[in-house]
Amino acid sequence: ETGVTQTPRHLVMGMTNKKSLKCEQHLGHNAMYWYKQSAKKPLELMFVYSLEERVENNSVPSRFSPECPNSSHLFLHLHTLQPEDSALYLCASSQDIPRSYSVEPQHFGDGTRLSIL
Amino acid sequence: DAKTTQPPSMDCAEGRAANLPCNHSTISGNEYVYWYRQIHSQGPQYIIHGLKNNETNEMASLIITEDRKSSTLILPHATLRDTAVYYCIVIRGSGGATNKLIFGTGTLLAVQP
């Protein structure tokens, strides 16, 4: 139990569908992240939210739309995805300390395995 | 952030210590060394981190050389459940912005019975 829960664990969708991935953290953290892990490739950072504001968008296509309604919840809205978007999508959280050069650990969920037909 | 080099795979006998090396020869003074692992079908799990001094926690020990150009993660008594990909990551504190982990390909540690 990592304190970060992702749902659903598995998702199969067609290219024209719209679906959402959900992440919830119970650690009291103030920063949340979306990562993508494709087969045989390293994890790639997609989005970062700190204090509910998006602070990083790593050139992610607009068919992926994140939403962070509060510091405990993070969503990834999906629409008109492509087959190459099939991957493991991981959520993480950490405690962001303003004006500090310390680096706090990120805690990950177990991911949503997404398959695009 | 400094680049890291790790062997692609290692074997370890169950019950023995697993020593996983990491080279980070371009590390700068304010960069931390972090270790994560990813067990099959799970998300990455934080293990330990350090800046200059050696560190130990309930999972592992981290030994950082005096010049900080390399480090070793030690699992003192490896079990089959320690079979995973281990990632060594060097990351700079970003002065209040969120820290950005850059994962490489890591070391696949296979613990043998």
Side-chain angles (χ1 to χ4, degrees):
Chain A
E1 180 58 50
T2 66
V4 180
T5 304
Q6 291 188 243
T7 54
R9 289 296 312 275
H10 302 272
L11 179 62
V12 179
M13 57 187 285
M15 288 191 284
T16 58
N17 291 157
K18 290 185 181 181
K19 295 285 185 182
S20 296
L21 309 185
K22 179 182 176 182
C23 176
E24 183 174 0
Q25 58 97 1
H26 307 275
L27 300 169
H29 289 161
N30 60 11
M32 297 187 77
Y33 310 75
W34 279 117
Y35 288 84
K36 175 184 179 182
Q37 187 172 32
S38 303
K40 302 188 188 305
K41 292 177 68 174
L43 277 81
E44 304 169 58
L45 180 64
M46 300 175 71
F47 301 103
V48 180
Y49 277 83
S50 177
L51 301 170
E52 301 155 41
E53 287 191 20
R54 193 190 312 178
V55 297
E56 185 92 13
N57 178 343
N58 272 2
S59 303
V60 179
S62 60
R63 57 185 184 269
F64 295 91
S65 175
E67 178 190 2
C68 187
N70 55 61
S71 60
S72 299
H73 293 86
L74 185 66
F75 295 90
L76 188 63
H77 304 300
L78 317 171
H79 64 98
T80 60
L81 296 192
Q82 303 299 310
E84 62 265 27
D85 297 323
S86 297
L88 180 68
Y89 289 85
L90 290 156
C91 172
S93 71
S94 69
Q95 187 62 23
D96 186 17
I97 303 174
R99 295 178 297 281
S100 167
Y101 284 88
S102 69
V103 179
E104 300 300 314
Q106 291 182 22
H107 297 263
F108 287 79
D110 284 333
T112 295
R113 175 73 59 188
L114 177 64
S115 299
I116 306 300
L117 301 179
Chain B
D1 294 316
K3 181 179 170 59
T4 63
T5 303
Q6 298 178 254
S9 63
M10 293 181 63
D11 287 344
C12 177
E14 189 176 17
R16 305 297 292 267
N19 297 281
L20 294 99
C22 180
N23 184 290
H24 32 79
S25 57
T26 59
I27 194 170
S28 60
N30 61 350
E31 289 183 313
Y32 290 78
V33 179
Y34 262 75
W35 284 84
Y36 284 78
R37 72 180 182 183
Q38 188 171 19
I39 296 169
H40 183 63
S41 298
Q42 295 182 21
Q45 178 188 22
Y46 164 74
I47 302 173
I48 198 168
H49 73 283
L51 184 62
K52 297 179 182 176
N53 299 323
N54 298 336
E55 302 288 344
T56 295
N57 63 21
E58 65 279 2
M59 289 183 68
S61 294
L62 174 60
I63 308 298
I64 303 175
T65 57
E66 194 168 339
D67 64 6
R68 302 186 70 237
K69 293 187 177 185
S70 66
S71 60
T72 301
L73 179 74
I74 301 172
L75 308 178
H77 306 286
T79 71
L80 298 178
R81 288 178 295 180
D82 292 320
T83 293
V85 178
Y86 287 77
Y87 298 100
C88 170
I89 300 169
V90 171
I91 182 167
R92 175 182 297 113
S94 48
T98 49
N99 50 84
K100 305 176 189 66
L101 295 173
I102 300 176
F103 287 80
T105 52
T107 296
L108 174 58
L109 175 69
V111 180
Q112 310 290 345

